[in-house]
Amino acid sequence: MTNETPDWIRLQKALAVEAEHGFTDLMGRQYRFSEFLSLTLGKFPIGLPTTERRRWQELALQFAKYSHLGLEDRQHLVAETRRYLYQLQQDSGKPPENNGVAEAQQRNYQSKKQQPTTPIVAEVSRRLAPKIDQKLSDLPEIGIRKADNLARLGVYTVRDLLYYYPRDHIDYARQVNIRELQAGETVTIVATVKRCNCFNSPKNQKLSILELILKDNTGQIKVSRFSAGARFTSRAWQESLKRRYPVGSVIAACGLVKASKYGLTLDNPELEVLGNPGDTIDSLTIGRVVPIYALTEGIAANMVRQAVIAALPAAANLKDPLPSGLRDKYGLIELKDAIANIHFPPDSASLQVARRRLVFDEFFYLQLSLLQRQHQAKQIQTSAILAPKGQLLEKFYEIIPFKLTGAQQRVINDILNDLQKPAPMNRLVQGDVGSGKTVVAVVAILAAIQSGYQAALMAPTEVLAEQHYRKLVSWFNLLHLPVELLTGSTKTVKRRQIHAQLETGELPLLVGTHALIQDPVNFRQLGLAVIDEQHRFGVQQRARLQQKGEQPHVLTMTATPIPRTLALTIHGDMDVSQIDELPPGRQKIQTTMLTGQQRSHAYDLMRREIAQGRQIYVVLPLVEESEKLDLRSAVDEHQKLQESVFPEFQVGLLHGRMTSAEKDEAITKFRENKTQILVSTTVVEVGVDVPNATVMLIENAERFGLSQLHQLRGRVGRGAAQSYCLLMSSSRSPDAQQRLKVMEQSQDGFFISEMDMRFRGPGEVLGTRQSGVPDFTLASLVEDEEVLILARQAAEKVIEIDATLERWYLMKEELKYRYERLMGGAILT
């Protein structure tokens, strides 16, 4: 072809024949298909716009490598080239050749030409790109009525729409022959209509069925489309549908391949009539990777897709906040390309690259915000400087009857180093059940007290606060230091006494629950706040305890190991230490999953253990939505065990509806072995420490998360005797069985928490009430750990160079937009 008007027919016909014969790089009379395309595209035709010359050359180079491409890449290249050439032909003003196409099909082409330009050919669109902050109602393709509908999705401007990412994609870009269909795949086929019928369902007269027999040169397939509603059952409508898909017409159909009694079929497929087997498929769904958006009632999928198409040219004008050096270092594409390809990617590979960039952005700006806040906190120089050595600490090390583990000593060193600095400590200590976190906290508390300051320890429940108080009293008595307990059950006279002693400074340590953050509680000089099981407190509750002093050091603890990705996400502004070593002599707890038929085995074990002087926990699930039901079952279980199963033993009862005095009595009786079996709800999850208990029987274990099961299991195995955890479950669900097997196989809380997050998601791992867990649009803490780590590293580098972000104005503005305007900072803990 010389430099003259392009021979559209020869090019399109070559592409069509190649597609029809399975992308085999056909041999022509003189050249192979790839050679013909490469040579033809190797010269610029007269009239080709300068802006298109680079694209033309790129296609020539791609077809030169065609013989080395895989089948899927060949399909995408041919399909993309066909669409590109078709659009160029339209823009040149020349009508497409009829070439025997029926008048009805010709009108179909012309009507499609009037539709908004599809994103794949947006680069050649002559339409002016809208402004990024333009209202959607101002776009002629959308208008006021559609804009009002889109507003129900929280989408108001062009920018909102560009960042309204699809929740999923379906890949219809893969075009196959009928004989290549396999159940479970999503594909596109191009075939001829052999038979067309439209009729009412014999079982439902309000359901209309379009039935097509489609055939290509490899086989045939029967497909059906269903339309529910009275208007679709009229003969006039059904006849018009049959005229739309006449016998002999060529159709592109896409959908999920499913097995039926007639063989393989496409499940309720999308259909488009073509002129010839090689014609361009101009649908928003057929033959491409289709975006699936979150919708609401009254908003159709195609309305959102068409709106995105109208807004998408604006993406080309987006200024990328990430510097090119940072993008190159982490292998990220430009923002404008990522936005375009997350909505309408040409293929799956482009989608993955786009998603990776946008996931990186979600993580990066979160980490940037967390690290920026951490940096700002460390600029404060008004906190107490606490002495890491002194008589109190030396005496404490002498009175404890055990040697600290290496992990405990390492974490203590981290804490004492922090306490010597004028910047407030903000450290999280993670430790598995029984790893010795309390001892570590006491060292920090004593460092504050010997430096002349007060300390507070806040726990989420009275049971846990009481447990801490008992342990601390036993140590503090030997150190001749007073310590008090303040909870909702504390008597008024005692409460006033505690308040007075705090204000005078006579009371160096106060242990308690939420009662610590009430207004009458005023410390004379609070130097350290310790928060246990911190994820059970809200952001404001933790902040109110800190406000009881002048920038006190803060030590938070959790016995619920948090997966690395989740810790980075919700505690990214904190320093984190892990006690990853258990004290010597702790035996592995033998964990077994049992069915209802094996209950007698559990009871036999319980009898044997009680005969040896041991004690038993029996735990029932508590679900908030049906608390009364589960409470009744706990009472019923207690009655059954006491009267029918173990009448010779004393069976106690503990649940959240009991008063504090009743709880204390139940726990005291169990601690003193006056009751051998304690039937309880999850109140015993943390805080109840009875070394003599050796069996934990958990009913309906499948209803608990893995982390919670691990916490419950940690109530036994606290003494020298062999302990057992029995997971009673009647569920036959494969998922439930798989989860419980994790408990059988592992005692590692960090591994269990990782698995728990994979099974249930991050929000459920920490509890549904937990604030501060981000709701990412694209990113997954389970699947995208590698990208999160890279984003954290990138954010650390940026903060290290310029924490104010003044040298990266666009980055600073993007951070402000994301976490002040969009989320109001709500995702930050």
Side-chain angles (χ1 to χ4, degrees):
M1 184 174 72
T2 58
N3 278 18
E4 53 189 36
T5 304
D7 189 347
W8 305 110
I9 298 299
R10 288 183 66 199
L11 279 171
Q12 285 285 20
K13 188 172 182 180
L15 290 161
V17 172
E18 173 69 5
E20 191 175 352
H21 286 79
F23 308 93
T24 57
D25 199 11
L26 285 169
M27 184 66 202
R29 293 179 183 175
Q30 189 174 1
Y31 299 107
R32 283 201 170 276
F33 162 75
S34 57
E35 294 170 335
F36 171 72
L37 264 290
S38 183
L39 289 169
T40 304
L41 296 170
K43 298 177 182 179
F44 298 132
I46 292 173
L48 184 71
T50 306
T51 55
E52 298 306 318
R53 295 193 171 193
R54 183 178 175 183
R55 178 72 176 131
W56 195 271
Q57 283 182 324
E58 284 176 355
L59 287 173
L61 291 172
Q62 285 178 288
F63 277 104
K65 302 174 184 176
Y66 185 84
S67 60
H68 301 292
L69 298 178
L71 176 60
E72 188 171 342
D73 291 332
R74 291 185 182 189
Q75 291 171 336
H76 289 315
L77 178 57
V78 168
E80 188 178 348
T81 305
R82 289 164 67 188
R83 295 188 189 103
Y84 176 69
L85 293 177
Y86 179 76
Q87 187 61 40
L88 277 183
Q89 184 182 4
Q90 302 306 296
D91 290 343
S92 71
K94 291 174 68 68
E97 299 289 337
N98 193 323
N99 201 27
V101 177
E103 287 185 7
Q105 293 167 333
Q106 184 72 19
R107 287 195 301 273
N108 188 36
Y109 271 120
Q110 291 298 330
S111 66
K112 290 181 187 302
K113 184 182 170 183
Q114 304 305 317
Q115 296 176 0
T117 307
T118 58
I120 291 178
V121 292
E123 60 190 12
V124 297
S125 172
R126 301 189 183 282
R127 178 165 53 86
L128 286 175
K131 292 183 173 61
I132 194 71
D133 293 320
Q134 194 170 346
K135 290 182 180 178
L136 294 178
S137 55
D138 294 341
L139 271 61
E141 300 90 344
I142 296 178
I144 295 174
R145 190 166 63 85
K146 288 182 180 178
D148 288 343
N149 279 331
L150 292 169
R152 291 162 56 202
L153 299 174
V155 176
Y156 305 95
T157 67
V158 169
R159 176 169 184 147
D160 293 341
L161 197 52
L162 293 181
Y163 284 86
Y164 192 70
Y165 302 143
R167 63 174 176 80
D168 200 358
H169 293 80
I170 300 177
D171 189 356
Y172 293 134
R174 181 166 170 259
Q175 185 175 324
V176 300
N177 294 322
I178 290 176
R179 71 179 175 193
E180 297 169 346
L181 294 177
Q182 292 187 11
E185 295 182 339
T186 52
V187 298
T188 294
I189 62 171
V190 175
T192 303
V193 177
K194 184 179 177 182
R195 191 173 77 212
C196 175
N197 194 15
C198 194
F199 55 91
N200 294 337
S201 168
K203 296 181 180 179
N204 181 356
Q205 288 301 304
K206 292 185 178 181
L207 182 68
S208 177
I209 303 174
L210 170 68
E211 196 174 83
L212 297 171
I213 304 295
L214 302 178
K215 178 185 178 184
D216 66 10
N217 57 3
T218 68
Q220 67 180 35
I221 186 174
K222 179 180 179 181
V223 300
S224 301
R225 277 189 61 83
F226 302 91
S227 303
R231 68 189 184 95
F232 299 118
T233 59
S234 70
R235 290 309 305 165
W237 185 87
Q238 291 177 353
E239 288 299 321
S240 70
L241 204 61
K242 289 165 71 173
R243 289 194 296 273
R244 190 185 306 174
Y245 306 110
V247 172
S249 60
V250 177
I251 283 184
C254 71
L256 175 68
V257 183
K258 296 184 81 172
S260 74
K261 61 182 179 181
Y262 302 106
L264 294 179
T265 187
L266 297 181
D267 185 36
N268 210 27
E270 297 283 344
L271 303 170
E272 179 181 349
V273 179
L274 307 177
N276 289 294
D279 282 341
T280 300
I281 301 170
D282 205 25
S283 165
L284 287 180
T285 54
I286 301 172
R288 66 178 78 247
V289 180
V290 182
I292 308 297
Y293 296 93
L295 304 172
T296 190
E297 188 177 352
I299 300 180
N302 262 8
M303 179 195 293
V304 179
R305 292 183 188 124
Q306 293 281 10
V308 170
I309 289 169
L312 210 51
N317 297 327
L318 284 173
K319 294 179 180 178
D320 200 326
L322 298 189
S324 58
L326 188 148
R327 295 199 306 269
D328 292 344
K329 179 177 175 64
Y330 295 102
L332 305 170
I333 63 171
E334 285 193 61
L335 179 62
K336 62 181 181 180
D337 297 327
I339 292 289
N341 286 334
I342 198 66
H343 287 289
F344 285 92
D347 50 53
S348 296
S350 301
L351 171 61
Q352 291 309 312
V353 172
R355 183 184 178 279
R356 186 176 184 274
R357 163 62 202 266
L358 298 176
V359 166
F360 182 94
D361 281 7
E362 286 191 320
F363 285 144
F364 174 75
Y365 291 109
L366 171 63
Q367 295 303 317
L368 203 58
S369 184
L370 292 169
L371 288 168
Q372 193 177 56
R373 191 170 64 183
Q374 183 186 53
H375 176 83
Q376 291 166 354
K378 288 184 177 179
Q379 302 312 301
I380 300 170
Q381 301 289 310
T382 58
S383 290
I385 297 177
L386 307 182
K389 294 181 180 179
Q391 290 186 355
L392 270 181
L393 278 176
E394 290 174 6
K395 192 169 182 181
F396 177 68
Y397 289 137
E398 291 174 5
I399 65 173
I400 54 176
F402 50 82
K403 184 180 178 181
L404 296 175
T405 64
Q408 283 175 310
Q409 194 60 62
R410 185 184 69 248
V411 173
I412 286 172
N413 291 340
D414 289 343
I415 293 169
L416 294 179
N417 285 336
D418 289 346
L419 297 179
Q420 295 176 69
K421 299 172 184 175
M425 174 178 72
N426 188 18
R427 184 170 291 277
L428 169 68
V429 174
Q430 288 194 89
D432 215 335
V433 176
S435 61
K437 295 180 298 301
T438 306
V439 175
V440 169
V442 170
V443 170
I445 290 167
L446 293 177
I449 293 173
Q450 71 182 10
S451 301
Y453 292 89
Q454 293 166 295
L457 193 161
M458 185 168 71
T461 66
E462 290 192 9
V463 170
L464 184 53
E466 170 78 21
Q467 185 70 47
H468 280 310
Y469 175 70
R470 285 177 176 274
K471 191 171 288 186
L472 287 166
V473 164
S474 66
W475 287 330
F476 273 50
N477 283 345
L478 298 174
L479 297 171
H480 307 293
L481 290 173
V483 56
E484 291 289 356
L485 175 67
L486 181 64
T487 70
S489 303
T490 305
K491 303 295 183 185
T492 303
V493 175
K494 182 66 175 177
R495 188 183 296 270
R496 288 174 180 165
Q497 181 186 341
I498 290 172
H499 291 166
Q501 290 176 341
L502 281 178
E503 291 182 5
T504 61
E506 297 172 62
L507 183 61
L509 173 62
L510 180 62
V511 179
T513 56
H514 302 74
L516 268 62
I517 61 177
Q518 303 306 314
D519 289 337
V521 177
N522 294 307
F523 291 83
R524 182 174 179 273
Q525 202 168 22
L526 181 65
L528 174 70
V530 180
I531 304 173
D532 195 18
E533 292 299 319
Q534 61 82 37
H535 63 276
R536 295 186 173 213
F537 293 100
V539 177
Q540 293 178 344
Q541 291 171 324
R542 298 198 294 266
R544 285 190 65 183
L545 180 60
Q546 292 171 244
Q547 290 161 7
K548 295 292 180 179
E550 294 291 332
Q551 300 295 338
H553 296 286
V554 178
L555 177 66
T556 55
M557 304 191 298
T558 179
T560 305
I562 303 172
R564 184 186 185 191
T565 52
L566 193 52
L568 272 179
T569 303
I570 64 173
H571 301 309
D573 58 342
M574 302 174 74
D575 297 309
V576 180
S577 296
Q578 291 188 359
I579 305 179
D580 50 9
E581 179 184 355
L582 291 177
R586 292 292 294 267
Q587 291 192 50
K588 181 179 179 181
I589 300 168
Q590 187 174 315
T591 305
T592 309
M593 184 169 57
L594 300 174
T595 63
Q597 289 78 19
Q598 297 170 304
R599 185 174 295 277
S600 60
H601 299 320
Y603 290 162
D604 289 344
L605 173 64
M606 292 163 69
R607 283 193 177 88
R608 288 199 305 272
E609 287 297 301
I610 295 174
Q612 296 176 43
R614 313 295 181 201
Q615 291 168 273
I616 315 294
Y617 291 106
V618 177
V619 177
L620 287 90
L622 178 67
V623 179
E624 291 176 349
E625 289 78 10
S626 57
E627 185 172 346
K628 291 181 181 179
L629 172 67
D630 287 302
L631 176 60
R632 198 160 52 243
S633 68
V635 173
D636 291 345
E637 183 70 11
H638 168 258
Q639 183 178 1
K640 184 185 82 171
L641 292 178
Q642 181 65 87
E643 296 177 1
S644 306
V645 185
F646 300 111
E648 68 274 30
F649 304 131
Q650 291 298 312
V651 182
L653 178 63
L654 178 67
H655 57 71
R657 289 287 184 89
M658 296 166 72
T659 64
S660 295
E662 290 170 335
K663 288 179 190 174
D664 287 343
E665 183 183 4
I667 293 171
T668 300
K669 283 185 176 181
F670 190 63
R671 187 179 288 118
E672 295 174 355
N673 205 356
K674 291 179 181 177
T675 55
Q676 290 74 52
I677 301 173
L678 182 62
V679 177
S680 174
T681 58
T682 52
V683 174
V684 300
E685 184 180 343
V686 289
V688 180
D689 187 3
V690 179
N692 192 49
T694 57
V695 178
M696 168 64 69
L697 171 63
I698 304 173
E699 296 282 356
N700 302 113
E702 76 280 356
R703 293 176 64 182
F704 295 90
L706 291 180
S707 294
Q708 196 172 27
L709 288 173
H710 183 62
Q711 284 283 318
L712 290 168
R713 178 169 61 183
R715 295 305 98 205
V716 296
R718 306 176 83 83
Q722 173 66 57
S723 293
Y724 306 87
C725 179
L726 308 178
L727 306 173
M728 192 68 68
S729 173
S730 56
S731 173
R732 295 182 180 179
S733 162
D735 286 346
Q737 298 285 320
Q738 188 178 5
R739 286 173 55 242
L740 296 181
K741 281 189 181 299
V742 171
M743 291 296 297
E744 282 189 318
Q745 295 163 1
S746 178
Q747 308 265 323
D748 182 347
F750 290 95
F751 170 75
I752 288 170
S753 69
E754 290 280 355
M755 296 304 296
D756 201 17
M757 188 171 76
R758 289 181 179 276
F759 283 122
R760 298 195 299 154
E764 290 296 321
V765 169
L766 292 179
T768 53
R769 291 186 185 145
Q770 171 67 17
S771 59
V773 181
D775 185 14
F776 296 114
T777 306
L778 290 175
S780 163
L781 293 179
V782 175
E783 304 298 334
D784 298 312
E785 180 177 3
E786 175 256 342
V787 181
L788 172 57
I789 302 304
L790 292 179
R792 175 74 175 193
Q793 292 172 2
E796 287 172 344
K797 291 285 185 187
V798 168
I799 293 296
E800 186 181 322
I801 296 170
D802 181 7
T804 65
L805 306 183
E806 293 299 334
R807 67 171 63 190
W808 297 292
Y809 174 76
L810 289 175
M811 189 186 297
K812 185 177 181 179
E813 288 300 301
E814 183 70 12
L815 178 64
K816 183 179 179 181
Y817 176 84
R818 284 175 180 257
Y819 294 108
E820 287 184 19
R821 180 181 169 185
L822 286 183
M823 301 181 184
I827 74 164
L828 302 178
T829 54

